[in-house]
Amino acid sequence: MADPLTKFAYLGLQGGRSLMGLAHKEVSTRLLQWVAPTAAPLTVPVPPEMLKELRAAMERLLEQDWQEAEAGIYPASLLFDAPWLDWAARYPLVWLDMPLTWNRRARRQVRDLPQDVEPEAFPDYYLQNFHHQTDGYLSDHSAALYDLQVEILFNGAADPMRRRLLKPLVQGLAAFAERPASSLRVLDIAAGTGRTLRQIRGALPQGHLVGLDLSAAYLRQANSWLSQLPGELPQLVQGNAEAMPFGDASMQAATCVFLLHELPAAARANVLREAFRVLEPGGVFVLADSVQLADSPQYTVAMENFRRVFHEPYYRDYISDDIEARLAQTGFLDIRAETHFMSRVWAARKPL
Ligand SMILES: C[S@@+](CC[C@H](N)C(=O)[O-])C[C@H]1O[C@@H](n2cnc3c(N)ncnc32)[C@H](O)[C@@H]1O
């Protein structure tokens, strides 16, 4: 059971993370406006009521994060899990990379990828500089900076949002409670650098975890983070989430975080269909991605700005997509959805 002092430490730490994210964005925006004003994206000023609402939503997220740790869904140590020294060492690289990002955005260059990438190995929509990031998802350099960039983007709230998967995941796996925990297979689709798998490992120390991603570089980074954890090393597999290299009904649970908004609509439908196929009947699927226009109209300006600052070619389509309807059309039952700060979390079950 976590104690009030731990809560105080957690909220203090999150306050610091939030300040660091805000300070970084403020300084980098001013610098850009000073050195290359033509490269600055045209954004809409965020109204004060929306900032107030965002702060309140962040506080609710952190309170729930704390409450669920206290309820034993995951250990309180997970609330403090971040590779601080490593991030500090990588932070200068974020600054060194920034002019390249600005330049790419100013020149509207969105397919500036490493020379050795074999285009036929990837779907066409993937071969882009999402977020204008150097090398897209296709280099160790990009993988080394990704976690830190997401940390800054969400002012330290990325992992608290990822952890909102854990309660529906643990509750969904209760359907298989009579089986040994080590026999339960949990697949994280688009595992990236492994941050979601780290959270899942905290809640399911004995589960057999599998991560799938198209990027070999991101999986290498995931392997280096995840191999530091005690227990069985998650199995990491390179592959397309639209045609996953796993058997029918081979997983008891599947998760997917921050992928759908980066896919064209047809690929989104394919991923949901594949998640359904690989799940055993009775298995649980938990998805987390950006809030959408229907559930969070009060954040429309933030959603519009996100699309303008970062190269996110499918985001506009995603924020109006009816994910509940897609899950239902795919065959899922018991579909539930909740909003947590800037994220929407859906949980659903494959019928028996
Ligand atoms: C925004 S990142 C999210 C990563 C991770 N889930 C997280 O929480 O940080 C999107 C990830 O999806 C992967 N990805 C994109 N399209 C994919 C596809 N069709 N199949 C598998 N992975 C894909 C990318 O390589 C990248 O790692």
Side-chain angles (χ1 to χ4, degrees), residues 242-255:
E242 292 183 79
M244 297 198 263
F246 307 115
D248 296 357
S250 56
M251 306 285 165
Q252 284 67 50
T255 57

Side-chain angles (χ1 to χ4, degrees), residues 6-17:
T6 316
K7 179 176 185 179
F8 185 71
Y10 172 57
L11 294 182
L13 175 73
Q14 284 302 133
R17 288 171 94 155

Side-chain angles (χ1 to χ4, degrees), residues 88-139:
R90 291 172 196 218
Y91 185 60
L93 291 178
V94 172
W95 280 100
L96 287 175
D97 192 56
M98 225 177 285
L100 301 176
T101 305
W102 294 341
N103 191 25
R104 222 173 282 118
R105 184 166 53 212
R107 288 167 39 216
R108 297 181 193 280
Q109 213 176 12
V110 295
R111 287 184 181 256
D112 179 19
L113 299 172
Q115 296 285 311
D116 59 354
V117 167
E118 292 174 15
E120 57 286 354
F122 302 97
D124 185 62
Y125 62 78
Y126 188 74
L127 295 171
Q128 306 194 45
N129 301 88
F130 287 91
H131 323 141
H132 299 287
Q133 71 199 36
T134 301
D135 302 334
Y137 286 120
L138 292 163
S139 74

Side-chain angles (χ1 to χ4, degrees), residues 40-60:
L42 286 175
T43 53
V44 181
V46 176
E49 319 80 67
M50 197 182 112
L51 279 177
K52 213 169 136 201
E53 169 54 30
L54 278 169
R55 268 195 292 270
M58 167 92 102
E59 279 169 23
R60 288 194 296 275

Side-chain angles (χ1 to χ4, degrees), residues 94-242:
V94 172
W95 280 100
L96 287 175
D97 192 56
M98 225 177 285
L100 301 176
T101 305
W102 294 341
N103 191 25
R104 222 173 282 118
R105 184 166 53 212
R107 288 167 39 216
R108 297 181 193 280
Q109 213 176 12
V110 295
R111 287 184 181 256
D112 179 19
L113 299 172
Q115 296 285 311
D116 59 354
V117 167
E118 292 174 15
E120 57 286 354
F122 302 97
D124 185 62
Y125 62 78
Y126 188 74
L127 295 171
Q128 306 194 45
N129 301 88
F130 287 91
H131 323 141
H132 299 287
Q133 71 199 36
T134 301
D135 302 334
Y137 286 120
L138 292 163
S139 74
D140 292 315
H141 172 75
S142 163
L145 297 187
Y146 172 82
D147 286 344
L148 197 46
Q149 287 165 333
V150 175
E151 168 79 7
I152 292 167
L153 170 67
F154 290 119
N155 298 335
D159 282 348
M161 288 194 284
R162 291 187 180 105
R163 282 193 286 274
R164 306 286 57 79
L165 292 177
L166 299 180
K167 189 175 173 191
L169 176 64
V170 169
Q171 287 175 340
L173 281 171
F176 305 100
E178 79 290 353
R179 299 191 196 168
S182 59
S183 73
L184 299 180
R185 288 169 62 87
V186 179
L187 167 67
D188 186 35
I189 302 167
T193 54
R195 284 300 309 165
T196 303
L197 283 170
R198 263 186 98 93
Q199 315 307 309
I200 297 175
R201 174 54 84 221
L204 302 171
Q206 294 176 336
H208 181 86
L209 308 188
V210 183
L212 176 95
D213 202 279
L214 259 174
S215 168
Y218 276 55
L219 291 175
R220 267 194 297 278
Q221 180 65 77
N223 187 56
S224 107
W225 292 137
L226 294 167
S227 58
Q228 297 163 3
L229 294 175
E232 188 194 77
L233 185 64
Q235 184 188 351
L236 299 174
V237 180
Q238 188 181 5
N240 188 344
E242 292 183 79

